[in-house]
Amino acid sequence: MASSMLSDCSSCAASRLLPLRRAALHPPPRFRPFPAAAPPQPRPLFVAAPPLPLLPRTRSMASFSAAAAASADPATVVADAPAAKIINGKLVAEQIREEVRVEVARMKDAIGVVPGLAVILVGSRRDSQTYVRNKKNACEAVGVKSYEVNLPEDCSEDEVIKHIETFNSDPSVHGILVQLPLPSHMNDENILNAVSIEKDVDGFHPLNIGRLAMQGRDPFFVPCTPKGCMELLHRYGVEIKGKRAVVIGRSNIVGMPAALLLQKANATVSIVHSKTKNPEEITRQADIVIAAVGVANLVRGSWIKPGAAIIDVGINTVDDPARPRGYRLVGDVCYEEASKVAGAITPVPGGVGPMTIAMLLSNTLESAKRIHKFE
Amino acid sequence: MASSMLSDCSSCAASRLLPLRRAALHPPPRFRPFPAAAPPQPRPLFVAAPPLPLLPRTRSMASFSAAAAASADPATVVADAPAAKIINGKLVAEQIREEVRVEVARMKDAIGVVPGLAVILVGSRRDSQTYVRNKKNACEAVGVKSYEVNLPEDCSEDEVIKHIETFNSDPSVHGILVQLPLPSHMNDENILNAVSIEKDVDGFHPLNIGRLAMQGRDPFFVPCTPKGCMELLHRYGVEIKGKRAVVIGRSNIVGMPAALLLQKANATVSIVHSKTKNPEEITRQADIVIAAVGVANLVRGSWIKPGAAIIDVGINTVDDPARPRGYRLVGDVCYEEASKVAGAITPVPGGVGPMTIAMLLSNTLESAKRIHKFE
């Protein structure tokens, strides 16, 4: 009936993309959308919202996948106009790319340095090749120099590490990422740990994660997708401090770092995962929900607190014979229902997805600025 | 009226103490209290408990300190017998020390290696001197060799780091800890980062914290006090998987790593902190509460879900003219009230406090075993 897959923004491959230190790239006056760019108007959240059509339902997430996807078929949705503000990730990502482009040009003019991003691809997975090509194109569009190494599926761990070490010591490279997943004969941990902490633009190194978790410490880089989630909240004026936040999913690349970021921003954070017994009840307490679990339409309207801000990281496919490809993309949140209850919500596609590569570019720029002490 | 202070188990100095990899030191059959040692009987939690005398109260923690301490004066407490199982940290700590002693002797007999712990003390704070002396005595009692360096208050950061490096390369030293707080002219981060990750028995290195946060990774060491909290839950048979857990406080040395440990054990975790608007309401949802905030009697009976397990890390002083010293020690939890509602609770003193040094000894043993590949 419905199939669910990990996509660019929720998979390893995907979240291999974007953060930047906002303070560096976006000084406070620029946190809001550019006035000239038909900005999304921040609207106060947590205010009056239409009554929600509560669907009493309390079951564990594990049992949810297919049923959730099925019951959210568009044919069953009442055609009301959505009440929630749509958080336009495509627009924000474009703004960030433009900001990066301007900064890259300024840096080149001032000190003659061009940020460089190196991508290592092992094997010939079609999806990985697509992601790598997208990253390369995105780099070119903003003036970031990209370097690419393609290694055969059967190459050794040592060969990959040798290439990483070459990039580690190459002063024209400021960010290094290894496209995941790696072939099964390789140890991801050994390979990712070989990336210099100063060039780990993915932010996946445990040292980065530790610094993210600790008060009084700052990571060199924040993983791209969760950083993109935070950027959307910031740019749409969603208040975080003192708010209840629920993160659904606890992956190393999205859920866990997203929870740490919300915590660092002084939200009161709860993490809901596959062993949680009452995810609906807990999620309904949240002013901010970040869903990153990879289950199509898991989060129903009844899970949402009226007025809440919903960031949907999931990109899942569900069968749809009416579409030319026979499927359509949906998030972890049932958009049709949630958008009638929430105060603000990201669509899928066009929400978090476009943010990941934008934030990867920002992280690469940030790295170059830090290495060259360019303000 | 009441004063609150950080004590050995909730301060930097304190939590500079204990974890061990339970799997290594305590194979499953030994997770429960020793049958021979008049063990605390694990009792099923989350079952019928007496009705709780709810005190409607919802205010932020920031406003709580003095009022909480004052209102929990023993004179105002009804003299009912406590309903909760008392989690006897003193007894468990003694068991762990005995387990360490036996293992140290076995290791010495088998391979001739004695675990060694080095402590660096800078300056002459009385409390720090006491903590260091206690650690030294604890080492001697279980056969762990202790090394101590005392440096003057005005020594340089470089001197401290030089001593750390000497211990890093000394094969007879398996654990190194720098007693905190350090003099104000020193950068804690620089100094703590100098400790070899393989000998960081405090578990405070960001790399350790990152590995603690990540799924599929394990830290070399877990910070002593939160590890002690988990050990108490395990040894008293408190089920963690799928339970709601609330950690009150988010310090780098107790609250944050405690939350990560509970999360790793598959609890659904929420962190309550000074910016949380409704700490009482959130805490009342928890089957497990770890309070580590350093505010005397903050957590009242009304905050507790009937049958919950309460781990009280706080050690605070409140004025008490009836005592010879003019004060008494209390936790972050109002014991008199909470013990009538909870299913199990740690007292203060005699709860988490004694666990910290016990777990430091365990971590040191664990380190020596790992370095010498001794099973």
Side-chain angles (χ1 to χ4, degrees):
Chain A
M1 176 87 191
S3 66
S4 167
M5 58 173 271
L6 289 174
S7 65
D8 194 26
C9 76
S10 61
S11 71
C12 294
S15 48
R16 329 227 73 247
L17 307 185
L18 64 139
L20 89 151
R21 185 160 291 173
R22 243 184 332 113
L25 186 63
H26 309 292
R30 298 169 62 189
F31 273 156
R32 300 290 165 259
F34 289 168
Q41 292 302 315
R43 136 188 160 159
L45 300 176
F46 323 116
V47 294
L52 72 170
L54 281 177
L55 309 179
R57 183 192 317 270
T58 303
R59 38 176 153 157
S60 83
M61 285 157 55
S63 65
F64 233 97
S65 179
S71 64
D73 189 286
T76 67
V77 172
V78 181
D80 291 346
K85 178 81 169 177
I86 295 171
I87 297 178
N88 188 336
K90 195 157 173 279
L91 179 63
V92 173
E94 281 166 15
Q95 290 169 352
I96 291 172
R97 288 182 192 221
E98 175 59 15
E99 290 165 19
V100 171
R101 194 191 60 74
V102 168
E103 283 294 284
V104 166
R106 187 172 73 85
M107 191 176 179
K108 188 177 175 187
D109 287 350
I111 61 169
V113 171
V114 174
L117 174 68
V119 182
I120 296 172
L121 173 63
V122 185
S124 50
R125 282 176 62 117
R126 295 274 302 271
D127 56 348
S128 291
Q129 287 173 333
T130 303
Y131 298 146
V132 169
R133 191 171 56 247
N134 290 345
K135 288 166 191 171
K136 197 174 173 181
N137 293 342
C139 284
E140 279 172 15
V142 298
V144 167
K145 189 156 172 49
S146 68
Y147 303 82
E148 193 180 331
V149 167
N150 291 295
L151 296 170
E153 179 85 16
D154 61 353
C155 78
S156 72
E157 213 173 282
D158 282 349
E159 279 177 88
V160 181
I161 290 175
K162 201 180 122 207
H163 281 282
I164 292 174
E165 286 169 352
T166 303
F167 285 133
N168 280 343
S169 56
D170 182 344
S172 61
V173 170
H174 307 95
I176 302 168
L177 65 83
V178 182
Q179 185 67 42
L180 298 181
L182 286 162
S184 56
H185 68 279
M186 291 186 185
N187 181 320
D188 287 15
E189 186 173 346
N190 292 344
I191 288 176
L192 295 180
N193 284 356
V195 176
S196 159
I197 188 80
E198 285 84 13
K199 298 186 179 184
D200 174 35
V201 282
D202 263 340
F204 291 164
H205 195 289
L207 192 55
N208 262 326
I209 298 293
R211 294 172 67 97
L212 185 61
M214 296 172 85
Q215 288 192 83
R217 307 280 181 103
D218 286 308
F220 285 92
F221 301 99
V222 175
C224 301
T225 303
K227 187 72 192 286
C229 297
M230 297 298 285
E231 198 65 29
L232 290 175
L233 292 171
H234 286 304
R235 295 202 180 212
Y236 274 80
V238 177
E239 194 184 346
I240 299 174
K241 181 178 171 182
K243 297 297 180 188
R244 290 290 298 277
V246 163
V247 176
I248 307 176
R250 51 176 170 170
S251 69
N252 288 343
I253 53 175
V254 185
M256 179 268 290
L260 297 177
L261 284 167
L262 287 164
Q263 159 79 18
K264 225 167 183 133
N266 289 314
T268 300
V269 183
S270 306
I271 301 181
V272 163
H273 50 76
S274 58
K275 304 297 186 299
T276 298
K277 287 180 181 155
N278 44 358
E280 176 174 351
E281 181 190 329
I282 297 170
T283 306
R284 201 161 45 228
Q285 296 174 1
D287 305 304
I288 298 165
V289 176
I290 295 183
V293 73
V295 177
N297 294 316
L298 173 71
V299 179
R300 307 297 301 266
S302 60
W303 291 40
I304 309 289
K305 177 178 177 177
I310 312 296
I311 305 292
D312 188 354
V313 182
I315 304 185
N316 314 285
T317 56
V318 294
D319 294 341
D320 187 348
R323 304 286 173 109
R325 294 187 178 184
Y327 68 86
R328 63 194 160 91
L329 297 180
V330 300
D332 293 347
V333 178
C334 176
Y335 185 83
E336 291 78 3
E337 293 179 10
S339 59
K340 295 185 178 65
V341 187
I345 187 167
T346 57
V348 175
V352 176
M355 293 295 290
T356 305
I357 288 187
M359 300 303 275
L360 173 67
L361 299 173
S362 298
N363 270 7
T364 305
L365 168 63
E366 179 192 337
S367 178
K369 282 181 159 185
R370 185 163 45 219
I371 288 170
H372 294 281
K373 297 184 173 54
F374 180 73
E375 301 271 314
Chain B
M1 177 85 191
S3 65
S4 168
M5 59 172 272
L6 289 175
S7 67
D8 194 29
C9 75
S10 61
S11 72
C12 292
S15 47
R16 330 226 74 248
L17 308 183
L18 63 140
L20 87 150
R21 185 162 291 176
R22 243 182 331 114
L25 187 63
H26 310 292
R30 298 170 65 189
F31 273 158
R32 300 290 165 261
F34 286 169
Q41 292 303 315
R43 138 188 157 156
L45 299 174
F46 323 116
V47 293
L52 72 170
L54 282 176
L55 308 179
R57 184 191 317 272
T58 303
R59 38 175 153 158
S60 85
M61 285 158 56
S63 65
F64 233 98
S65 179
S71 63
D73 189 286
T76 66
V77 173
V78 181
D80 291 346
K85 178 82 170 175
I86 295 170
I87 297 178
N88 188 336
K90 194 156 174 280
L91 179 62
V92 173
E94 280 167 14
Q95 291 170 350
I96 291 171
R97 288 182 192 222
E98 175 59 14
E99 291 165 18
V100 172
R101 194 191 61 73
V102 168
E103 283 293 284
V104 167
R106 189 172 71 86
M107 191 174 180
K108 188 177 175 187
D109 288 349
I111 60 169
V113 171
V114 174
L117 175 67
V119 182
I120 295 172
L121 174 62
V122 185
S124 50
R125 283 176 61 117
R126 295 275 301 271
D127 57 348
S128 291
Q129 287 173 334
T130 303
Y131 298 145
V132 169
R133 192 171 55 246
N134 289 346
K135 288 167 192 172
K136 197 173 173 180
N137 292 342
C139 283
E140 280 172 14
V142 299
V144 167
K145 189 155 172 52
S146 67
Y147 302 83
E148 193 181 330
V149 167
N150 292 294
L151 296 170
E153 178 85 16
D154 61 353
C155 78
S156 70
E157 214 172 281
D158 282 350
E159 279 177 90
V160 181
I161 290 175
K162 201 179 123 206
H163 282 281
I164 291 174
E165 285 170 351
T166 303
F167 285 133
N168 279 345
S169 56
D170 183 343
S172 62
V173 170
H174 306 95
I176 301 168
L177 66 82
V178 182
Q179 184 67 42
L180 298 181
L182 287 162
S184 57
H185 68 279
M186 291 185 184
N187 180 320
D188 287 14
E189 187 174 347
N190 292 344
I191 288 176
L192 294 180
N193 283 357
V195 175
S196 158
I197 189 79
E198 285 84 13
K199 298 186 179 184
D200 174 35
V201 283
D202 263 341
F204 291 164
H205 195 288
L207 191 54
N208 262 325
I209 298 294
R211 294 172 67 97
L212 185 60
M214 296 172 87
Q215 288 193 83
R217 307 281 181 102
D218 286 308
F220 286 92
F221 302 99
V222 175
C224 300
T225 302
K227 188 72 191 284
C229 296
M230 297 298 285
E231 197 65 28
L232 290 175
L233 292 171
H234 286 303
R235 295 203 179 211
Y236 274 80
V238 177
E239 194 184 346
I240 299 174
K241 182 178 170 181
K243 298 296 180 187
R244 290 290 299 275
V246 163
V247 177
I248 307 175
R250 52 175 169 170
S251 69
N252 288 343
I253 54 176
V254 185
M256 179 269 289
L260 296 178
L261 284 167
L262 287 164
Q263 159 80 18
K264 228 171 180 125
N266 288 315
T268 299
V269 184
S270 306
I271 302 181
V272 162
H273 51 76
S274 58
K275 304 296 186 299
T276 299
K277 287 181 180 154
N278 44 357
E280 176 174 352
E281 181 190 330
I282 298 171
T283 306
R284 200 159 48 226
Q285 297 174 0
D287 304 304
I288 297 165
V289 176
I290 295 183
V293 73
V295 177
N297 295 315
L298 172 71
V299 179
R300 308 296 302 266
S302 60
W303 291 39
I304 309 288
K305 177 178 177 176
I310 313 294
I311 305 293
D312 188 354
V313 183
I315 303 184
N316 314 285
T317 57
V318 293
D319 295 341
D320 187 349
R323 304 286 174 107
R325 292 188 178 183
Y327 68 86
R328 65 194 160 89
L329 297 179
V330 300
D332 293 347
V333 178
C334 176
Y335 184 84
E336 291 79 0
E337 293 179 10
S339 60
K340 294 186 179 64
V341 186
I345 187 168
T346 57
V348 174
V352 176
M355 293 294 289
T356 305
I357 287 185
M359 300 302 276
L360 174 66
L361 298 173
S362 298
N363 270 7
T364 305
L365 168 63
E366 179 191 338
S367 177
K369 283 181 159 184
R370 185 164 44 217
I371 288 170
H372 295 280
K373 298 183 173 53
F374 180 72
E375 302 271 315

